[in-house]
Amino acid sequence: MQVTQRFAQMLKQNVGKVIVGKESAVELMMIAVLCRGHVLIEDVPGVGKTTLASALARSLDCSFKRIQFTPDITPSDITGYSIVNFKTGELEYRPGMIMSQIVLADEINRTSPKTQSSLLEVMEEGQVSVDGTTYAMPEPFIVLATQNPVDFVGTYPLPEAQLDRFFMRVSIGYPTAEEETDILERFASGRKPMEELRPICTSSDILRLQQEVEGVHASREVRAYISAIAAASRRTAALQLGVSTRAAISLLRASQARALLEGRDYVAPEDVQRMAEPVLAHRLVLSAEARMRNMTAERVLAGVLQSVQVPVKVK
């Protein structure tokens, strides 16, 4: 437990050399790493989405690839393809850009839905299938995707099945005046903080920490609390699509990881409440009436949480 907390502190400090403030976003991404989850970083252009993802990747001693998604990227560019070896007459697999431990899918919503769908299998099952042959991804495997809001020109909204495979969605937001002044000072001096980042842990360290998360106790009452939240979302008139079972499992895992970072070996209701929005909100689909009333998934989810009784016994 102390090892996990020390790792969290070191990661925050390392990423903080590049990203000013935004400790909450860094913590959420760290929780996703501990839970073997993929992260969707969504915000307006220019607030540091790609920088945050790159800083996290550089802090982990894992293989790393960046895919710049554009309309002309094809599914075979992502998953790889087979080509005939004219010397042997046999098909040989040429790995695609996804074959790495940490993958930065930059501006994922600027590519076509067909190419987006090529990520479904690899994000869910950690493998790609090409010409009937399955190739396993290296571990740990994490996709860090960035996207601009869908109302910007030249973007394609991610389908619900794709969104459901993202463990959580993280928003950065604009910096405060003080933080922005600090950022400008860094750039005025000509420093390049990204080049100074060094890895703070290895692949084996990450795998060991991931196993620690699975050892955090979640009582039957806490599990029933998460199930009740999921059920309440499915009954809410404001939602066309509520919380899936995959989403409920993700909320449980995220709550376990947060409890571990807080120094506890059990999940408390506040862990569930804290992780509900980043884990669930992006998976919810508002009803037509809710959209007409300018409601948001976050507001609807807050109402769902208030309607569910919080358990008293948690250990």
Side-chain angles (χ1 to χ4, degrees), residues 151-203:
D151 56 343
F152 280 76
V153 177
T155 61
Y156 302 84
L158 297 179
E160 286 76 14
Q162 179 103 38
L163 287 171
D164 201 30
R165 281 165 171 77
F166 279 105
F167 184 78
M168 68 170 59
R169 180 182 63 185
V170 175
S171 296
I172 300 176
Y174 287 111
T176 64
E178 183 178 350
E179 290 171 347
E180 197 158 31
T181 301
D182 192 3
I183 293 171
L184 295 176
E185 181 180 350
R186 293 187 182 189
F187 277 86
S189 64
R191 289 177 53 208
K192 296 182 179 180
M194 187 69 76
E195 296 180 359
E196 301 173 5
L197 289 189
R198 296 292 181 268
I200 63 168
C201 66
T202 64
S203 300

Side-chain angles (χ1 to χ4, degrees), residues 240-311:
Q240 180 181 336
L241 185 65
V243 174
S244 67
T245 302
R246 181 191 289 119
I249 294 171
S250 297
L251 180 56
L252 173 61
R253 287 281 182 248
S255 302
Q256 288 176 300
R258 184 180 187 274
L260 190 63
L261 293 179
E262 292 292 318
R264 282 182 276 106
D265 60 357
Y266 65 93
V267 178
E270 54 263 32
D271 298 317
V272 177
Q273 294 162 356
R274 173 66 181 86
M275 300 311 305
E277 183 177 317
V279 172
L280 302 181
H282 67 285
R283 309 170 193 254
L284 305 178
V285 178
L286 295 173
S287 64
E289 181 181 354
R291 291 195 298 270
M292 290 177 60
R293 295 167 57 189
N294 293 323
M295 298 184 71
T296 64
E298 289 77 10
R299 284 174 54 194
V300 174
L301 180 60
V304 169
L305 291 173
Q306 290 179 356
S307 70
V308 178
Q309 184 175 357
V310 180

Side-chain angles (χ1 to χ4, degrees), residues 82-103:
S82 298
I83 189 171
V84 176
N85 185 325
F86 290 103
K87 292 183 178 180
T88 64
E90 298 179 351
L91 286 176
E92 290 185 355
Y93 173 63
R94 299 294 174 87
M97 294 183 286
I98 198 68
M99 297 299 289
S100 185
Q101 291 175 305
I102 299 179
V103 177

Side-chain angles (χ1 to χ4, degrees), residues 72-144:
D72 59 343
I73 290 284
T74 64
S76 61
D77 293 328
I78 305 298
T79 61
Y81 56 91
S82 298
I83 189 171
V84 176
N85 185 325
F86 290 103
K87 292 183 178 180
T88 64
E90 298 179 351
L91 286 176
E92 290 185 355
Y93 173 63
R94 299 294 174 87
M97 294 183 286
I98 198 68
M99 297 299 289
S100 185
Q101 291 175 305
I102 299 179
V103 177
L104 170 56
D106 208 7
E107 296 188 284
I108 190 173
N109 60 336
R110 290 197 177 276
T111 194
S112 67
K114 182 178 181 180
T115 302
Q116 291 176 6
S117 65
S118 67
L119 292 168
L120 294 178
E121 179 187 12
V122 67
M123 290 178 65
E124 177 64 19
E125 302 178 29
Q127 63 183 32
V128 296
S129 298
V130 179
D131 295 329
T133 304
T134 299
Y135 303 92
M137 301 299 296
E139 291 187 342
F141 171 64
I142 303 162
V143 174
L144 305 175

